[in-house]
Amino acid sequence: NTIRNYGVINHSSQQTGIVLGGNTTGDIYDNNISNGTGPAISVFGYGQIKVYNNTVENTGKDGTLNGQESIFANDLITGPQSNPKQQMIITNNIIRNPQLKGGIRVGAYENNSLASTIQNNTLYILGAPLNWLIFYVVSNAPGSIISVNNVIR
């Protein structure tokens, strides 16, 4: 799939290129997503969810100082169903020009996540600081593995 120029109205609930909503599960892969005001990919589902082999460029440009993440996940709890905890596996993605808010962020804000794996992703960040990883690749899920992610300055 190719998605370009999405979220042009810059309205908070209409800004994502691809969204996997709450109370769903699945994988997101082999997409080219560019030029949007919000995240290229937003994930709010349950169970093990893989996000891989995507190319993301110039996303999250919402006009704020920090912008929005290129790939964002959060472990929403949706009732009345009882679903497995969210477990994000985010690998082999290319992210060009992420905003200051981050390239990849697993929020785990509802404490409904298992450890995430974020590895083998390449981020192109012009003038990236030496400690770029702590700002641009983040998982709040306890025990997460963040490894072999690369930056090209």
Side-chain angles (χ1 to χ4, degrees), residues 91-105:
T91 59
N92 300 315
N93 297 287
I94 295 171
I95 300 173
R96 292 188 176 95
N97 309 316
Q99 301 303 296
L100 291 175
K101 186 134 186 202
I104 301 170
R105 181 176 307 273

Side-chain angles (χ1 to χ4, degrees), residues 8-48:
V8 294
I9 295 175
N10 203 17
H11 187 273
S12 63
S13 63
Q14 302 295 315
Q15 288 181 285
T16 300
I18 295 175
V19 64
L20 186 67
N23 225 14
T24 63
T25 193
D27 296 335
I28 301 171
Y29 57 93
D30 294 339
N31 298 288
N32 294 297
I33 307 168
S34 61
N35 303 319
T37 60
I41 299 169
S42 293
V43 178
F44 303 106
Y46 66 87
Q48 187 180 83

Side-chain angles (χ1 to χ4, degrees), residues 11-90:
H11 187 273
S12 63
S13 63
Q14 302 295 315
Q15 288 181 285
T16 300
I18 295 175
V19 64
L20 186 67
N23 225 14
T24 63
T25 193
D27 296 335
I28 301 171
Y29 57 93
D30 294 339
N31 298 288
N32 294 297
I33 307 168
S34 61
N35 303 319
T37 60
I41 299 169
S42 293
V43 178
F44 303 106
Y46 66 87
Q48 187 180 83
I49 299 170
K50 296 177 184 175
V51 178
Y52 61 96
N53 295 344
N54 298 287
T55 299
V56 174
E57 185 168 4
N58 299 321
T59 63
K61 293 185 173 190
D62 63 1
T64 63
L65 178 64
N66 292 328
Q68 296 187 35
E69 300 88 345
S70 298
I71 298 174
F72 175 72
N74 195 23
D75 54 355
L76 297 180
I77 299 172
T78 53
Q81 292 86 354
S82 176
N83 295 316
K85 290 185 174 194
Q86 184 184 78
Q87 183 179 32
M88 295 302 305
I89 311 295
I90 303 174

Side-chain angles (χ1 to χ4, degrees), residues 93-143:
N93 297 287
I94 295 171
I95 300 173
R96 292 188 176 95
N97 309 316
Q99 301 303 296
L100 291 175
K101 186 134 186 202
I104 301 170
R105 181 176 307 273
V106 177
Y109 299 124
E110 304 295 328
N111 296 316
N112 193 38
S113 289
L114 299 173
S116 297
T117 300
I118 304 173
Q119 63 186 17
N120 297 325
N121 298 286
T122 300
L123 286 78
Y124 291 76
I125 306 169
L126 184 64
L130 293 177
N131 60 348
W132 69 274
L133 190 62
I134 64 171
F135 298 107
Y136 286 93
V137 180
V138 176
S139 179
N140 296 322

